Short mmCIF file of all heavy atoms in Angstrom, two decimals:
data_model
loop_
_atom_site.label_atom_id
_atom_site.label_comp_id
_atom_site.label_asym_id
_atom_site.label_seq_id
_atom_site.Cartn_x
_atom_site.Cartn_y
_atom_site.Cartn_z
N GLN S 1257 22.38 130.61 64.11
CA GLN S 1257 21.56 129.46 63.64
C GLN S 1257 21.33 128.51 64.83
O GLN S 1257 22.22 128.30 65.64
CB GLN S 1257 22.23 128.65 62.42
CG GLN S 1257 22.44 129.45 61.31
CD GLN S 1257 21.16 129.87 60.58
OE1 GLN S 1257 20.16 129.17 60.62
NE2 GLN S 1257 21.08 131.07 60.13
N LYS S 1349 22.99 121.04 71.57
CA LYS S 1349 23.35 122.44 71.78
C LYS S 1349 24.63 122.65 70.98
O LYS S 1349 25.48 121.64 70.90
CB LYS S 1349 23.67 122.66 73.37
CG LYS S 1349 23.97 124.01 73.64
CD LYS S 1349 24.37 124.14 75.10
CE LYS S 1349 25.79 123.62 75.37
NZ LYS S 1349 26.74 124.41 74.78
N TYR S 1437 29.66 71.32 61.16
CA TYR S 1437 30.10 72.72 61.08
C TYR S 1437 29.50 73.45 62.35
O TYR S 1437 28.54 72.95 62.77
CB TYR S 1437 29.39 73.42 59.79
CG TYR S 1437 29.91 72.85 58.55
CD1 TYR S 1437 29.34 71.73 57.85
CD2 TYR S 1437 31.01 73.49 57.86
CE1 TYR S 1437 29.81 71.29 56.64
CE2 TYR S 1437 31.47 73.00 56.70
CZ TYR S 1437 30.76 71.92 56.10
OH TYR S 1437 31.28 71.47 54.83
N LEU S 1457 25.25 77.48 66.26
CA LEU S 1457 24.28 76.41 65.69
C LEU S 1457 25.23 75.41 65.10
O LEU S 1457 26.07 75.58 64.25
CB LEU S 1457 23.52 77.16 64.56
CG LEU S 1457 22.58 76.16 63.78
CD1 LEU S 1457 21.55 75.55 64.71
CD2 LEU S 1457 21.95 76.95 62.60
N ALA S 1500 30.51 56.86 56.90
CA ALA S 1500 30.66 57.06 58.39
C ALA S 1500 31.15 55.74 59.05
O ALA S 1500 30.56 54.59 58.75
CB ALA S 1500 29.28 57.38 58.97
N THR S 1575 58.94 31.47 46.93
CA THR S 1575 60.45 31.22 46.92
C THR S 1575 60.77 29.75 47.31
O THR S 1575 60.09 29.06 47.96
CB THR S 1575 61.07 32.19 47.91
OG1 THR S 1575 60.54 31.87 49.25
CG2 THR S 1575 60.73 33.59 47.60
N PRO S 1595 103.97 26.23 29.69
CA PRO S 1595 105.41 26.29 29.88
C PRO S 1595 105.83 26.60 31.36
O PRO S 1595 105.11 27.20 32.05
CB PRO S 1595 105.90 27.49 28.98
CG PRO S 1595 104.65 28.27 28.81
CD PRO S 1595 103.40 27.41 28.88
N ARG S 1692 108.66 21.78 29.41
CA ARG S 1692 109.97 22.19 29.77
C ARG S 1692 110.41 23.33 28.98
O ARG S 1692 110.28 23.38 27.71
CB ARG S 1692 110.92 21.04 29.60
CG ARG S 1692 112.33 21.26 30.21
CD ARG S 1692 113.11 20.06 30.22
NE ARG S 1692 114.40 20.23 30.93
CZ ARG S 1692 115.28 19.31 31.24
NH1 ARG S 1692 115.02 18.12 30.82
NH2 ARG S 1692 116.33 19.55 31.91
N TYR S 1704 131.43 43.85 27.68
CA TYR S 1704 132.92 43.66 27.19
C TYR S 1704 133.56 44.93 26.89
O TYR S 1704 132.87 45.94 26.49
CB TYR S 1704 132.89 42.88 25.93
CG TYR S 1704 132.34 41.43 26.08
CD1 TYR S 1704 130.93 41.14 25.96
CD2 TYR S 1704 133.17 40.38 26.44
CE1 TYR S 1704 130.44 39.92 26.19
CE2 TYR S 1704 132.67 39.11 26.56
CZ TYR S 1704 131.27 38.88 26.45
OH TYR S 1704 130.73 37.50 26.73
N LEU S 1717 142.43 41.12 15.61
CA LEU S 1717 141.61 40.45 16.58
C LEU S 1717 141.52 41.33 17.82
O LEU S 1717 142.59 41.69 18.39
CB LEU S 1717 142.21 39.05 16.93
CG LEU S 1717 141.44 38.24 18.05
CD1 LEU S 1717 139.94 37.98 17.55
CD2 LEU S 1717 142.09 37.03 18.36
N LEU S 1735 126.59 41.69 15.19
CA LEU S 1735 126.70 42.98 15.86
C LEU S 1735 125.51 43.95 15.48
O LEU S 1735 125.03 43.82 14.26
CB LEU S 1735 128.06 43.56 15.38
CG LEU S 1735 129.39 42.91 15.79
CD1 LEU S 1735 130.53 43.64 15.29
CD2 LEU S 1735 129.49 42.91 17.27
N GLY S 1750 132.72 33.74 17.48
CA GLY S 1750 132.50 34.96 18.33
C GLY S 1750 133.79 35.89 18.29
O GLY S 1750 133.80 36.73 19.17
N TYR S 1767 133.89 53.63 21.44
CA TYR S 1767 132.96 53.24 20.41
C TYR S 1767 132.11 52.03 20.94
O TYR S 1767 132.75 51.04 21.35
CB TYR S 1767 133.75 52.82 19.17
CG TYR S 1767 132.85 52.54 17.98
CD1 TYR S 1767 131.98 53.50 17.40
CD2 TYR S 1767 132.87 51.28 17.37
CE1 TYR S 1767 131.18 53.13 16.29
CE2 TYR S 1767 132.11 50.97 16.25
CZ TYR S 1767 131.26 51.85 15.72
OH TYR S 1767 130.43 51.50 14.64
N LEU S 1792 143.26 53.81 21.39
CA LEU S 1792 144.59 54.28 21.98
C LEU S 1792 145.36 54.96 20.95
O LEU S 1792 145.14 54.87 19.67
CB LEU S 1792 145.40 53.10 22.40
CG LEU S 1792 144.63 52.11 23.50
CD1 LEU S 1792 145.61 50.93 23.76
CD2 LEU S 1792 144.37 52.96 24.78
N ASP S 1829 163.68 59.74 31.92
CA ASP S 1829 162.54 60.59 32.32
C ASP S 1829 162.08 60.22 33.61
O ASP S 1829 161.86 61.13 34.50
CB ASP S 1829 161.43 60.53 31.23
CG ASP S 1829 161.97 61.08 29.92
OD1 ASP S 1829 162.77 61.97 29.91
OD2 ASP S 1829 161.31 60.77 28.89
N VAL S 1881 153.21 49.37 28.08
CA VAL S 1881 153.60 50.37 29.01
C VAL S 1881 153.81 51.66 28.29
O VAL S 1881 154.47 51.61 27.18
CB VAL S 1881 154.87 49.94 29.78
CG1 VAL S 1881 155.23 51.00 30.83
CG2 VAL S 1881 154.59 48.62 30.35
N LEU S 1929 146.42 -11.58 34.13
CA LEU S 1929 145.17 -12.10 34.55
C LEU S 1929 144.62 -13.25 33.70
O LEU S 1929 144.03 -14.25 34.22
CB LEU S 1929 144.13 -10.92 34.50
CG LEU S 1929 144.35 -9.77 35.52
CD1 LEU S 1929 143.38 -8.64 35.25
CD2 LEU S 1929 144.27 -10.29 36.88
N ILE S 1937 141.57 -23.13 35.65
CA ILE S 1937 140.71 -24.00 34.87
C ILE S 1937 141.35 -25.38 34.85
O ILE S 1937 140.66 -26.46 34.97
CB ILE S 1937 140.48 -23.41 33.46
CG1 ILE S 1937 139.61 -22.14 33.60
CG2 ILE S 1937 139.78 -24.45 32.54
CD1 ILE S 1937 139.47 -21.46 32.34
N VAL S 1958 141.52 -37.33 48.81
CA VAL S 1958 142.09 -37.36 47.56
C VAL S 1958 143.28 -36.45 47.47
O VAL S 1958 143.13 -35.28 47.95
CB VAL S 1958 141.09 -36.89 46.44
CG1 VAL S 1958 141.72 -36.80 45.02
CG2 VAL S 1958 139.88 -37.86 46.36
#
Side-chain angles (χ1 to χ4, degrees):
Q1257 299 294 323
K1349 185 184 75 69
Y1437 295 90
L1457 175 62
T1575 59
R1692 190 170 187 176
Y1704 296 88
L1717 177 63
L1735 294 178
Y1767 183 62
L1792 303 177
D1829 293 332
V1881 183
L1929 292 176
I1937 292 172
V1958 178

